[in-house]
């Protein structure tokens, strides 16, 4: 069961990377098509809003990559200090799985703890403690600070969006929660509030 979960997570990560690559390559055509769906009289305003939303999505992707690199680097450093074998490979493994929101870092932590158990029980317990602390730091400090700042979404909204998105749609919901929240906040500020002020 554990092996199946790990391979499923790796397959999901690979699929996400391929989809992102295709999306980035085809982005200009997608943007042009979306903008043509807007009436000509409102198209300049839609282009401004759309470009800002795309910038927020790009900031989210870069922030997510940065957090994954931090997870991999800290894991490698900790494992090298406590003497767990294959520290570099395990650090890369954690960085890749950390790209999968909600469960990625948890699965990576379980695998690393099993490897640490081959060294000794105290090292395994120390590794468990490291991953518990890191998961809390990532969820409640790094994600709101790095990704929230990149997409300019308040920390509270970032945490709530990830929790709600994960509860409603699982991994996919958690993955798109922050860009969706950023887009909704932008549309609310630029479209809804001016309309309400003029009503």
């Amino acid at each position: 069961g554990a092996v199946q979960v790990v391979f499923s997570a790796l397959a999901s990560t690979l699929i996400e990377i391929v989809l992102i690559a295709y999306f980035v390559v085809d982005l200009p055509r997608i943007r042009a098509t979306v903008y043509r769906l807007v009436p000509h009289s409102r198209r300049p305003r839609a282009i401004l809003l759309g470009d800002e939303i795309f910038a927020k999505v790009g900031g989210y992707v870069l922030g997510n990559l940065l957090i994954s690199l931090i997870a991999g680097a800290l894991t490698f450093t900790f494992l090298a200090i406590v003497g767990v074998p294959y520290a570099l490979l395990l650090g890369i493994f954690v960085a890749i799985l950390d790209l999968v929101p909600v469960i990625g870092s948890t699965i990576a932590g379980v695998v690393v703890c099993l490897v640490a158990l081959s060294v000794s029980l105290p090292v395994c317990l120390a590794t468990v403690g490291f991953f518990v602390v890191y998961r809390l730091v990532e969820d409640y400090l790094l994600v709101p600070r790095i990704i929230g700042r990149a997409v300019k979404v308040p920390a509270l909204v970032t945490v709530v969006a990830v929790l709600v998105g994960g509860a409603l749609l699982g991994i996919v919901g958690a993955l798109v929660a922050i860009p969706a929240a950023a887009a909704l906040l932008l549309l609310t500020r630029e479209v809804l509030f001016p309309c309400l002020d003029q009503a």
Side-chain angles (χ1 to χ4, degrees), residues 5 8-13 16 60 64 97-105 107 135 161-179:
V5 169
S8 175
L10 288 175
S12 298
T13 303
E16 289 171 10
Y60 168 74
N64 207 10
L97 272 190
D98 197 66
L99 291 171
V100 180
V102 182
I103 64 167
S105 60
I107 294 172
R135 182 62 192 262
V162 171
L163 292 175
V164 171
L168 293 178
L169 299 174
I171 295 175
V172 176
L175 186 64
V176 302
I178 297 177

Side-chain angles (χ1 to χ4, degrees), residues 5-103:
V5 169
V6 170
F7 278 115
S8 175
L10 288 175
S12 298
T13 303
L14 182 61
I15 290 171
E16 289 171 10
I17 292 172
V18 170
L19 287 176
I20 289 172
Y22 277 115
F23 182 77
V24 169
V25 169
D26 218 20
L27 184 59
R29 191 172 63 178
I30 293 172
R31 289 168 63 186
T33 302
V34 170
Y35 291 150
R36 289 191 67 187
L37 296 174
V38 179
H40 183 72
S41 61
R42 300 189 180 192
R43 197 168 293 167
R45 179 68 172 158
I47 290 174
L48 288 175
L49 291 174
D51 286 348
E52 191 168 347
I53 290 173
F54 279 120
K56 289 180 182 297
V57 172
Y60 168 74
V61 172
L62 290 178
N64 207 10
L65 288 174
L66 177 59
I67 289 175
S68 295
L69 289 176
I70 291 172
L74 290 178
T75 301
F76 165 71
T77 303
F78 175 80
L79 296 179
I81 290 172
V82 298
V84 175
Y86 311 112
L88 181 58
L89 290 176
L90 290 172
I92 294 171
F93 175 73
V94 168
I96 292 173
L97 272 190
D98 197 66
L99 291 171
V100 180
V102 182
I103 64 167

